[in-house]
Every structure is written in C-alpha cells, then in structure tokens.
C-alpha cells in the first residue's frame, strides 16, 4: 500500500472502532500480564471465563504464589496447555517478587526474561500497561497484514518490523488493537466478511466477495 492508502486504511478502522480495547479482562498491570500469558493458543473468551473467579482474589504476585501451582490449575484447567501455563505463571510471579519488588517491569528485556513471556506478550503489556507504541503481532495481525498487503512477511518479526515502519505515528498506539479486532471479527481466516469490510477497497485480497 502507498502511504496515503495506509493512512486511509487506519482512518477507516478507527472510524469503525473509535476506542479499540483488548478483549482480555484484567484489573491491573499484573493481571494483564497473567491474562496475556494464559491467552497463548487460547481464545480471549476462554481466558476470561477462567480468570473471572481467579482475579477476584488473586491480583498480585504474592497472592499468586500463595495460591500455588495446584491451586492455579484448578482455575485455568479449561485453557489449553494449562499445566505449563500454571508453572510459568507461578515462576514469573516468584521472579517479580524476588527481582522487581512485585511489580511488572516496563522494559522489553526484563519482560521477555520472564517464564512464558515472548515478544508478543511483551508488546501487549508495553502498549496496554505502559502506553508504549508497540505492535503485538498475533495470528490475526499476521493474517490481516499479509492478506491486505499492508505489511507482508513470512515471519511474525518481519511483519512487525514492516508495520513499525509504515503505520502512521498518530495511529501507532491503537494499531495492533484495530488489526486484531479486524482479523477476529471481519477478516477471518476461513470466511472473511469482505461484504461489510470498511477497508475492502484498499485491500489486495483477490478473493473478495460482496455476497452476504
């Protein structure tokens, strides 16, 4: 896409969703971090169901460590990979207490050093919790970026680097939210709903359909 088309692209997404928000439920920076770790290979809806009761009482690393791995498993057993995720959440909580005063660190290096935290999770936390202009590339963002021609690449990191170069500065903070929500609700993997897409005219996808 040309620079002006990219600006029009994000302006259309912004008009469609003026206040894009993560669909994960959380109450503070720590519960956001836990929710994003749990969301790997799981749906936000599934994670929210699992954490609804958990976050009523467990809202900081100390409470999580006190709950323990077995106790956490009971809350998240409906989520995929719950055994390894429970282990990671307890381990990262212990590290937060030992090295960071119980607080979520605000640098990428410190975040990615935590068990279960990769680049995508770090980007989400940096953007959502600390207001950094980062782009979290998940399966939805990867698909939308490649399908539309916004930022093509064979790897998640390649797409992220291109997005960081082409997304206008004034749309950067909400960019990954708009792309995630667009991919989740309209530009779906199997049946993209091009007939009601606000950016269909700018899209490079060659199988666009106007049929309902």
């Amino acid at each position: 896409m040309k620079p002006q088309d990219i600006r029009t692209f994000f302006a259309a997404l912004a008009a469609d969703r003026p206040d894009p928000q993560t669909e994960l439920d959380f109450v503070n920076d720590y519960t956001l971090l836990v929710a994003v770790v749990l969301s790997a290979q799981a749906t936000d809806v599934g994670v929210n169901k699992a954490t609804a009761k958990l976050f009523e009482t467990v809202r900081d690393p100390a409470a999580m460590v006190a709950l323990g791995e077995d106790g956490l498993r009971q809350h998240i057993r409906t989520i995929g990979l719950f055994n390894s995720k429970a282990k990671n959440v307890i381990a990262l909580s212990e590290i937060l207490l030992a090295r960071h005063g119980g607080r979520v660190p605000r640098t990428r290096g410190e975040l990615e050093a935590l068990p279960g935290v990769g680049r995508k999770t770090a980007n989400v936390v940096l953007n959502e919790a600390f207001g950094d202009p980062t782009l979290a590339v998940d399966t939805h963002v990867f698909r939308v970026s490649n399908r539309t021609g916004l930022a093509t690449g064979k790897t998640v990191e390649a797409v992220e680097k291109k997005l960081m170069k082409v997304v206008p500065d004034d749309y950067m903070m909400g960019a990954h939210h708009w792309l995630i929500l667009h991919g989740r609700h309209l530009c779906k993997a199997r049946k993209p709903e091009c007939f009601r897409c606000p950016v269909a005219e700018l899209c490079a996808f060659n199988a666009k359909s106007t049929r309902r």
Side-chain angles (χ1 to χ4, degrees):
M1 288 188 195
K2 297 178 181 179
Q4 184 54 48
D5 289 338
I6 293 173
R7 174 165 290 280
T8 302
F9 181 97
F10 280 101
L13 293 184
D16 190 52
R17 297 180 186 275
D19 185 29
Q21 302 286 335
T22 179
E23 294 185 323
L24 285 171
D25 293 335
F26 64 97
V27 296
N28 56 26
D29 296 350
Y30 173 72
T31 55
L32 170 66
L33 173 62
V34 171
V36 181
V37 169
L38 295 178
S39 71
Q41 299 183 48
T43 66
D44 287 0
V45 172
V47 173
N48 290 341
K49 288 181 179 178
T51 59
K53 290 290 186 182
L54 176 67
F55 291 163
E56 287 181 3
T57 56
V58 179
R59 299 186 173 190
D60 58 61
M64 187 67 77
V65 172
L67 177 65
E69 198 172 319
D70 289 339
L72 179 55
R73 285 197 195 98
Q74 294 306 307
H75 283 280
I76 66 170
R77 62 184 182 277
T78 56
I79 301 175
L81 306 175
F82 70 93
N83 281 315
S84 60
K85 289 177 181 179
K87 183 177 181 179
N88 284 335
V89 168
I90 296 300
L92 73 81
S93 299
E94 291 173 339
I95 292 173
L96 292 182
L97 290 169
R99 302 179 189 173
H100 302 287
R103 296 182 178 180
V104 176
R106 73 165 336 280
T107 69
R108 180 186 301 283
E110 290 172 317
L111 284 167
E112 291 186 10
L114 298 173
V117 178
R119 187 174 184 85
K120 186 198 79 172
T121 297
N123 278 336
V124 172
V125 173
L126 289 171
N127 180 275
E128 188 74 33
F130 302 119
D132 289 355
T134 57
L135 276 156
V137 180
D138 68 352
T139 56
H140 299 297
V141 176
F142 186 80
R143 179 176 66 256
V144 170
S145 297
N146 276 288
R147 179 182 276 171
T148 61
L150 175 65
T152 58
K154 294 183 178 180
T155 67
V156 166
E157 189 166 350
V159 169
E160 181 187 333
K161 287 181 178 179
K162 285 191 177 181
L163 286 172
M164 293 297 292
K165 291 181 180 179
V166 303
V167 175
D169 290 344
D170 49 333
Y171 288 110
M172 186 64 75
M173 278 302 300
H176 86 268
H177 286 305
W178 282 311
L179 294 173
I180 288 170
L181 295 171
H182 188 63
R184 183 174 291 158
H185 299 292
L186 286 178
C187 196
K188 303 172 184 177
R190 295 186 179 180
K191 294 182 179 180
E193 298 181 14
C194 304
F195 65 87
R196 65 187 187 100
C197 174
V199 293
E201 295 304 315
L202 299 168
C203 181
F205 188 43
N206 61 12
K208 291 191 292 249
S209 172
T210 57
R211 294 177 295 176
R212 294 178 183 272

